[in-house]
Amino acid sequence: MRKIALLGVALALGVALPALGQSAIEELAKQQIAQKTGLDPNLLATLFVTDGENQFILAFVYVTEQTMQSQLKPELKQAIAPYVNRRALLTLLAPAKTSFFDPLRINFEQGQARFLLSAQSIIKVTPDFGAGQFESGTVSAGILLLNDGIDLSKPFRIYYGAQSTVFSLTGETLPAQPNPLLELLLFLQFLFLNILLLFLIPFLLGL
């Protein structure tokens, strides 16, 4: 029943949305996740990736005690519990089509500094969270441990390839940055929102 309700939301949003810039549609996605899960939006970031033939959503949830009080499904809470307040991001991958993904392509930027992930800073929540091909309709999850050099009191950018989104625990924003996609085409907006509402959010909630 809740999946049917989420489908209704997806259809309504798809009809109502104009062609939005990428940052605007990602902000809308973040608000949808927050609304459905009870998570503070400041603990969240989303990134819609269109990388050649690859199309997928990445969602990031900072792991705190507040995260544990949300409506995340018990299995996820159990997986992230050892990483509460340990500078960890629960990271979810939801492909819009069969896509290649490699978590080592995720990196972070703050000021002039760039921070890369190592294999040791990636923890699998689902067994498939690693480099490989992923099918549409699936969701994979892992935990990323942030470099100690990132100042969490200030916003920073999360990159996958050339595309980025801003993460900020305080809600502070960063200046707009040129993006390979100035606007997501309307059909891609609708596609990504359907993936978000029909697969990613139900995965978080255990529906």
Side-chain angles (χ1 to χ4, degrees):
M1 184 64 69
R2 293 183 71 178
K3 280 194 174 183
I4 294 174
L6 288 170
L7 175 59
V9 173
L11 290 172
L13 287 172
V15 170
L17 279 176
L20 297 175
Q22 183 161 353
S23 61
I25 197 73
E26 289 167 352
E27 180 64 25
L28 175 62
K30 185 173 80 169
Q31 294 300 326
Q32 285 293 316
I33 295 172
Q35 180 181 349
K36 298 297 189 297
T37 62
L39 286 162
D40 184 336
N42 288 343
L43 297 176
L44 295 165
T46 60
L47 179 59
F48 290 9
V49 176
T50 53
D51 180 30
E53 293 298 311
N54 306 309
Q55 297 174 354
F56 51 84
I57 299 173
L58 289 172
F60 305 92
V61 183
Y62 191 69
V63 181
T64 69
E65 289 289 355
Q66 189 176 1
T67 311
M68 301 298 291
Q69 302 306 313
S70 71
Q71 297 175 42
L72 295 182
K73 64 184 180 182
E75 296 91 336
L76 277 181
K77 289 184 178 180
Q78 183 178 6
I80 66 176
Y83 302 97
V84 169
N85 296 324
R86 288 184 55 192
R87 304 173 62 87
L89 286 174
L90 172 64
T91 303
L92 302 117
L93 164 72
K97 57 183 290 190
T98 300
S99 299
F100 179 81
F101 166 76
D102 182 355
L104 286 172
R105 291 195 67 197
I106 300 172
N107 58 88
F108 309 92
E109 182 183 80
Q110 191 172 57
Q112 301 300 311
R114 186 66 71 102
F115 303 92
L116 306 179
L117 289 170
S118 67
Q120 292 71 34
S121 58
I122 302 170
I123 297 97
K124 294 183 178 182
V125 173
T126 57
D128 58 350
F129 191 80
Q133 295 283 340
F134 293 82
E135 299 295 324
S136 175
T138 63
V139 180
S140 301
I143 296 166
L144 308 180
L145 301 179
L146 296 173
N147 189 287
D148 288 341
I150 297 176
D151 184 350
L152 295 178
S153 68
K154 300 177 181 178
F156 58 91
R157 296 188 191 275
I158 304 175
Y159 279 85
Y160 188 91
Q163 293 174 255
S164 70
T165 190
V166 175
F167 186 90
S168 175
L169 290 175
T170 64
E172 183 182 353
T173 61
L174 290 172
Q177 194 174 55
N179 202 301
L181 286 182
L182 295 180
E183 282 192 350
L184 282 175
L185 296 176
L186 189 59
F187 83 93
L188 275 180
Q189 289 185 26
F190 184 67
L191 178 62
F192 277 134
L193 285 173
N194 271 278
I195 295 298
L196 176 82
L197 291 166
L198 299 182
F199 298 107
L200 196 151
I201 289 176
F203 176 87
L204 288 171
L205 298 174
L207 300 180

